[in-house]
Amino acid sequence: MARMNIIVPALVVLAGLLLSSVYIVDERERALVLQFGEVKVDRAQPGLGFKIPLVQSVARYDKRILSLSTPPIEVTPLDDRRLVVDAFARWRITDAIEFREAVSLSGPESLRAAEVRLAGIIENAIREVLGSVPSTTVLSDDRTPLMNQIRNLARKEAAALGVDVIDVRLTRTDLPEQNLAATFDRMRAERDREARDEIARGGEAAQRVRASADRTVVELTSEARKQSEIIRGEADASRNAIYAEAFERDPEFFAFTRSLTSYERALKGGNSSIVMQPDSEFFDYLRSDKAE
């Protein structure tokens, strides 16, 4: 009976020691076996592992790709227009030993400490990159080159933590609330100025077109008047030549027909009145003694 009292506790202690010497590494994590704070084993493969009970301990670190959202920060681009920017980053632990030395913690506390330091690194990279370009570049649709520069700069700084920054994305680039009204007013003034410039240029172009059209009208009218005068002169010359030829052939008949034409033009209308001397030459062909 006394022997059983000794064996049972011994077996319990042995089982406890055996269980404490076994640890399991999940496929989503990486484990470091520590002995008095010194790393003895760096295990990245999943499965069972063994350690010395009471002497060695296991520190576990997540080896998956992790996410980090930075708080909004104000940056000042080259044109001194302040912007509110926040980012979203993807990162993972690549060197567990270096990571442990950098943060001096394990478990969830190590991730929180790493996120604080990593957020500072990314914020510094954002300020440096965005501070070297104008705000129009930051607010443009294609910001991929800027985000790649931020990622590369942050990756270089974060390497000392034993982590790799896989990607950085700018999730918001806005103007501060207090600057929105002033910015909108400035944008409206710029658009008004551009509209006035366009109207002025349009008016100038319209004036040039109108002046050109007026000059063309004057030229065409002058040319048409010139041609009409030439034609009229030629017609008058032809008419005079015909009159002259008719006069030479029979002067008496020519004078008679001209008098009839004069009568027709002078005696038009029912109320026409002519006051002249009876012996005027105008009535020569109305007298019977002359109409021979």
Side-chain angles (χ1 to χ4, degrees):
M1 188 67 181
R3 183 178 298 177
M4 289 297 295
N5 292 334
I6 296 174
I7 293 175
V8 171
L11 292 175
V12 173
V13 171
L14 183 60
L17 292 175
L18 182 61
L19 291 175
S20 64
S21 65
V22 177
Y23 64 93
I24 300 175
V25 179
D26 190 272
E27 60 183 5
R28 298 167 297 180
E29 62 185 11
R30 187 168 186 162
L32 295 180
V33 178
L34 307 175
Q35 182 173 331
F36 304 114
E38 181 181 356
V39 177
K40 293 298 183 180
V41 179
D42 181 3
R43 185 183 178 92
Q45 297 299 323
L48 291 175
F50 297 93
K51 61 183 180 63
I52 302 174
L54 305 178
V55 176
Q56 295 179 336
S57 60
V58 178
R60 304 174 186 274
Y61 300 95
D62 200 327
K63 65 178 182 180
R64 295 173 296 178
I65 295 177
L66 306 173
S67 61
L68 172 65
S69 297
T70 63
I73 59 173
E74 285 194 2
V75 298
T76 305
L78 281 179
D79 51 6
D80 294 330
R81 179 185 295 180
R82 292 191 303 165
L83 298 175
V84 177
V85 178
D86 55 20
F88 179 81
R90 295 283 190 178
W91 65 285
R92 64 182 173 187
I93 301 172
T94 54
D95 190 330
I97 298 176
E98 192 170 10
F99 180 80
R100 174 179 173 78
E101 292 176 354
V103 300
S104 301
L105 294 169
S106 61
E109 292 81 7
S110 65
L111 291 181
R112 284 192 289 269
E115 287 177 349
V116 172
R117 297 184 60 176
L118 190 59
I121 291 174
I122 294 175
E123 290 176 7
N124 292 336
I126 291 174
R127 294 183 188 277
E128 181 173 344
V129 173
L130 300 189
S132 62
V133 296
S135 60
T136 53
T137 303
V138 181
L139 297 173
S140 65
D141 293 334
D142 187 12
R143 297 178 295 191
T144 302
L146 293 178
M147 293 186 289
N148 290 339
Q149 292 181 37
I150 295 171
R151 178 202 61 196
N152 295 337
L153 187 59
R155 176 180 291 171
K156 182 178 179 181
E157 296 295 327
L161 300 178
V163 303
D164 178 35
V165 179
I166 300 172
D167 192 20
V168 175
R169 295 289 168 180
L170 298 176
T171 55
R172 185 180 68 160
T173 51
D174 295 330
L175 295 168
E177 291 294 336
Q178 61 270 25
N179 292 354
L180 285 177
T183 301
F184 288 154
D185 291 341
R186 183 167 61 251
M187 292 174 64
R188 187 180 297 108
E190 292 175 356
R191 297 300 179 271
D192 290 342
R193 179 182 55 79
E194 293 175 359
R196 288 193 297 271
D197 291 343
E198 291 294 333
I199 292 173
R201 284 193 290 269
E204 182 181 355
Q207 188 64 29
R208 288 197 300 268
V209 172
R210 192 177 295 110
S212 177
D214 292 342
R215 183 174 64 253
T216 303
V217 169
V218 172
E219 292 175 353
L220 292 176
T221 304
S222 300
E223 183 65 21
R225 186 177 292 111
K226 174 184 176 183
Q227 294 297 328
S228 67
E229 293 295 333
I230 292 174
I231 294 172
R232 185 178 293 107
E234 293 175 351
D236 289 342
S238 298
R239 181 193 62 185
N240 294 333
I242 293 172
Y243 283 163
E245 184 181 357
F247 180 77
E248 290 177 356
R249 288 184 180 182
D250 191 343
E252 184 65 23
F253 180 74
F254 180 76
F256 176 70
T257 56
R258 292 295 300 269
S259 295
L260 292 180
T261 301
S262 299
Y263 295 156
E264 180 183 4
R265 293 178 179 176
L267 300 177
K268 283 182 177 181
N271 298 324
S272 297
S273 299
I274 300 177
V275 179
M276 61 179 61
Q277 294 179 359
D279 58 350
S280 173
E281 293 181 357
F282 184 76
F283 297 107
D284 284 348
Y285 287 97
L286 293 178
R287 297 187 185 98
S288 61
D289 58 344
K290 292 292 184 179
E292 296 178 355

